[in-house]
Amino acid sequence: MYNPTVSRLWSQYRTLWLLLLNSLFVVFVTVFCSSHFETNDDVVMAWIASGQYSGTPDAHLVFINILYGYVVAALYRLMPGFEWYTCMFAIAHIVSLTIIGGQILDSKLHRYSRMAAMLLCYVIEVWALLLLQFTTTAALLATASLSLVMTSQTPWQRVAGVLIFVWAALVRFKAAMLVGVVFACYYPWSVYVYGFNWRRLATLAVCVVSGVAVQYIHFKSYFNDSRWAYYYEYNINRGKINDNPNAGAVREKLPPQVRLADYILLCNFFADTDVTDLKDLQDINEVMDQVSLRQKINNWQKLKNLWNQFKWLIVITLVVMVATAVALREKWWLAFVPIAGCMLVVLLIALNGAVKIRIFYTILLAVYVFMSQLHKPVVKYVSPVLLALCMVGFVKAESTFDYHNGFVIARYERNLMRDLPDDVTLCGWSAIIKSEYVNPWQVSSYFPMQIKGKGWLASSPFNDDIAAYTDFIGTNNAVFILNSQADKAIKLLTASIRQNYHKDVEPNWLMQSRFFSVFNFKEKVSE
């Protein structure tokens, strides 16, 4: 039943109502619905910011801009024990969802289409909250920013759009720019719907320039310190190898100074940075750059996994775009520019990298939000049906994930760690410690002991005590590993230690359970 009082209160205070409802929604999902971080990258950055990793809160969050890191670290100093890293993400989601929701409600869609678009937005947001990740958080912020700029009518909206885009670039520069590329594919369509406006175009330019500026500050901050400068370059070159599907193609063509065992250990995120230094990584990348384009195109076959998991969603999305093209009539090509642009982006990424699910969803989120604002009223009865079908496809794709096992493994690992001496520092083999399967509001206090990782923290000043494999000989440092991987790892590590340090070692088992083992090394006694 229509109530004029409720309608008036909603109209006058809609933004506040949306903020309140979205706050309750985000808190409920992250606290009560088995939310966790998608990868352990966020957990380690939360440990760094809180001081759990190095002993004192630090702003060097590596993947996240150092300016953002200063804010989070300062909050941890102000109120230790509270998960500020997670709280800042929650605020970002609340703000983004409020802006996107407001934009959809103000769009030119028919009211049924707006309802369907809002539901689809919340379905996607549930996934983003259940699998919190800095990349998707930045993508959500950037999408909200550019959707606000696209329809901006006042200077304050344009200023807000720029500030939110800077916020997105601080959280993850590459994700913000990826959303910017998707928006560029939609820009001709937006001009057709809203007309050309030089203020909006200038605002978009300011967004990009501001994002680049804060990234430059981040870059310069690392290079003001020689040790962090070395680490910054080391990590960039390491990432080009670890995330590259061409890494296996260069095993037989390694630089002469790089031994195969050390390269395999590097590919398993367990490099000895005293052995495999920056020059070695640069030489490996030079070899990798020589991989032919034909070989790189073969990497597209790996997109089959993405297709098998999300084929219904992809097909339905294409149907939506075709229906939109029909509705646009003489401007049908405007709907196909985004399709071609997004497909080209995915194919380019796949040449030298893995198209991870979070990248796919980053593009998908931007596609749906921008598209919801650019429909013409002629599709008012078609679009809600198509958006509802997209929702079904999204839920079907999400149903393929199994999160339960991760939580069980994390609890099992924590219980095993309680049986170890308190002074042991654990270093997980690859990503075996499932720290990401912890409620995001408890990441700093869940595990009972010091945990460190090589991976993307290799050569960082935080890891001085585990930089070399010799740091695991006769010390309190130990490797946490699956039993099924232990023999291979020990064989590689002992070979590397013998070849590079001229020491014969054998494993010293600190703990062995049904599934996991903890070991370090001891030197063999000469007979």
Side-chain angles (χ1 to χ4, degrees):
M1 181 182 294
Y2 176 76
N3 188 315
T5 303
V6 173
S7 178
R8 178 175 56 81
L9 289 173
W10 170 258
S11 299
Q12 289 181 347
Y13 304 104
R14 191 186 68 180
T15 301
L16 292 177
W17 281 115
L18 284 173
L19 274 173
L20 176 61
L21 293 174
N22 289 329
S23 298
L24 294 173
F25 173 75
V26 169
V27 170
F28 177 80
V29 174
T30 56
V31 174
F32 300 108
C33 297
S34 299
S35 174
H36 65 92
F37 288 112
E38 182 187 354
T39 67
N40 60 13
D41 296 347
D42 284 283
V43 176
V44 175
M45 286 191 286
W47 288 347
I48 292 171
S50 67
Q52 175 75 11
Y53 197 92
S54 63
T56 182
D58 199 285
H60 293 87
L61 306 187
V62 184
F63 298 116
I64 293 178
N65 194 287
I66 197 167
L67 298 176
Y68 185 96
Y70 282 129
V71 174
V72 182
L75 290 171
Y76 274 110
R77 290 190 186 95
L78 184 66
M79 189 185 295
F82 183 73
E83 294 295 351
W84 286 108
Y85 185 92
T86 304
C87 182
M88 293 284 282
F89 276 16
I91 293 171
H93 280 261
I94 292 167
V95 171
S96 301
L97 199 56
T98 299
I99 291 172
I100 292 172
Q103 293 296 301
I104 292 174
L105 292 175
D106 288 336
S107 70
K108 295 184 178 183
L109 289 172
H110 187 270
R111 61 178 178 274
Y112 298 136
S113 299
R114 291 198 297 269
M115 290 172 59
M118 285 290 285
L119 284 172
L120 179 59
C121 179
Y122 278 97
V123 169
I124 296 175
E125 176 63 8
V126 167
W127 168 82
L129 291 172
L130 288 176
L131 290 174
L132 271 177
Q133 218 271 342
F134 64 103
T135 298
T136 49
T137 300
L140 189 66
L141 284 166
T143 301
S145 162
L146 296 180
S147 67
L148 183 61
V149 171
M150 180 167 59
T151 60
S152 61
Q153 300 293 330
T154 67
W156 287 111
Q157 289 178 319
R158 290 188 283 273
V159 170
V162 171
L163 292 176
I164 294 170
F165 191 85
V166 170
W167 188 357
L170 289 172
V171 176
R172 182 59 162 161
F173 176 74
K174 291 181 179 179
M177 291 303 162
L178 178 58
V179 172
V181 170
V182 175
F183 178 78
C185 298
Y186 275 92
Y187 184 72
W189 192 351
S190 72
V191 172
Y192 170 66
V193 174
Y194 295 105
F196 178 77
N197 186 308
W198 70 268
R199 291 186 178 86
R200 290 180 190 142
L201 185 60
T203 305
L204 292 171
V206 172
C207 286
V208 174
V209 171
S210 300
V212 172
V214 295
Q215 183 65 12
Y216 178 75
I217 294 171
H218 172 74
F219 174 81
K220 292 296 290 183
S221 297
Y222 274 79
F223 277 80
N224 284 336
D225 183 297
S226 60
R227 291 205 60 196
W228 281 110
Y230 179 87
Y231 165 71
Y232 192 93
E233 288 196 79
Y234 190 98
N235 191 49
I236 288 176
N237 281 274
R238 178 212 56 81
K240 291 178 181 178
I241 299 169
N242 283 143
D243 292 333
N244 198 322
N246 303 306
V250 301
R251 281 196 179 190
E252 307 302 323
K253 304 175 183 178
L254 292 173
Q257 79 276 16
V258 178
R259 295 184 173 92
L260 180 59
D262 296 324
Y263 181 70
I264 296 173
L265 287 163
L266 168 67
C267 291
N268 279 279
F269 298 90
F270 212 86
D272 182 326
T273 54
D274 290 348
V275 172
T276 309
D277 60 16
L278 176 59
K279 180 63 168 58
D280 294 333
L281 298 186
Q282 291 170 337
D283 290 345
I284 293 170
N285 279 312
E286 285 183 11
V287 174
M288 205 169 290
D289 289 340
Q290 296 171 11
V291 174
S292 68
L293 180 60
R294 178 174 292 183
Q295 285 181 284
K296 291 181 178 180
I297 290 175
N298 289 336
N299 296 331
W300 290 350
Q301 296 179 8
K302 297 178 181 179
L303 294 174
K304 288 180 181 178
N305 295 330
L306 199 66
W307 166 257
N308 290 334
Q309 189 168 2
F310 300 104
K311 56 188 174 185
W312 291 107
L313 188 58
I314 294 170
V315 169
I316 292 169
T317 303
L318 292 174
V319 171
V320 171
M321 302 302 285
V322 171
T324 304
V326 172
L328 289 170
R329 297 180 182 177
E330 71 277 6
K331 300 289 186 180
W332 59 269
W333 57 272
L334 292 173
F336 286 98
V337 171
I339 294 177
C342 292
M343 290 180 64
L344 181 61
V345 167
V346 170
L347 292 175
L348 288 175
I349 292 173
L351 290 176
N352 293 292
V355 182
K356 299 172 183 176
I357 292 174
R358 55 182 173 269
I359 296 175
F360 177 76
Y361 277 130
T362 294
I363 295 173
L364 195 70
L365 173 68
V367 164
Y368 283 133
V369 171
F370 296 149
M371 189 170 61
S372 71
Q373 295 177 297
L374 298 175
H375 269 298
K376 300 293 282 185
V378 71
V379 291
K380 64 182 180 181
Y381 298 116
V382 178
S383 57
V385 176
L386 294 175
L387 286 169
L389 286 173
C390 288
M391 199 182 311
V392 172
F394 195 97
V395 173
K396 183 176 176 61
E398 273 302 293
S399 66
T400 62
F401 290 106
D402 182 11
Y403 308 126
H404 177 71
N405 288 339
F407 288 104
V408 173
I409 293 171
R411 286 195 295 269
Y412 182 76
E413 289 176 339
R414 179 180 62 171
N415 291 334
L416 290 177
M417 292 175 191
R418 286 173 173 166
D419 295 332
L420 292 168
D422 293 338
D423 59 351
V424 171
T425 297
L426 287 182
C427 184
W429 173 263
S430 191
I432 194 59
I433 298 178
K434 299 300 180 183
S435 56
E436 64 270 28
Y437 286 97
V438 176
N439 187 283
W441 299 97
Q442 299 175 341
V443 290
S444 296
S445 58
Y446 188 80
F447 289 103
M449 63 195 317
Q450 179 73 45
I451 296 175
K452 290 199 170 185
K454 282 185 171 287
W456 55 266
L457 279 170
S459 85
S460 79
F462 297 138
N463 275 15
D464 285 344
D465 54 341
I466 60 166
Y469 298 145
T470 52
D471 292 324
F472 293 88
I473 302 174
T475 67
N476 292 328
N477 300 324
V479 181
F480 190 92
I481 195 169
L482 270 174
N483 289 340
S484 59
Q485 299 174 336
D487 289 343
K488 173 188 174 184
I490 290 171
K491 183 178 179 181
L492 290 168
L493 289 168
T494 52
S496 181
I497 292 170
R498 185 184 308 112
Q499 292 169 346
N500 296 297
Y501 296 104
H502 309 293
K503 292 183 178 182
D504 284 326
V505 296
E506 59 185 0
N508 175 41
W509 300 100
L510 303 182
M511 185 272 291
Q512 288 181 289
S513 71
R514 181 180 177 186
F515 301 108
F516 298 97
S517 296
V518 177
F519 70 91
N520 53 20
F521 291 104
K522 58 184 178 181
E523 292 195 53
K524 287 184 178 180
V525 179
S526 301
E527 296 182 1

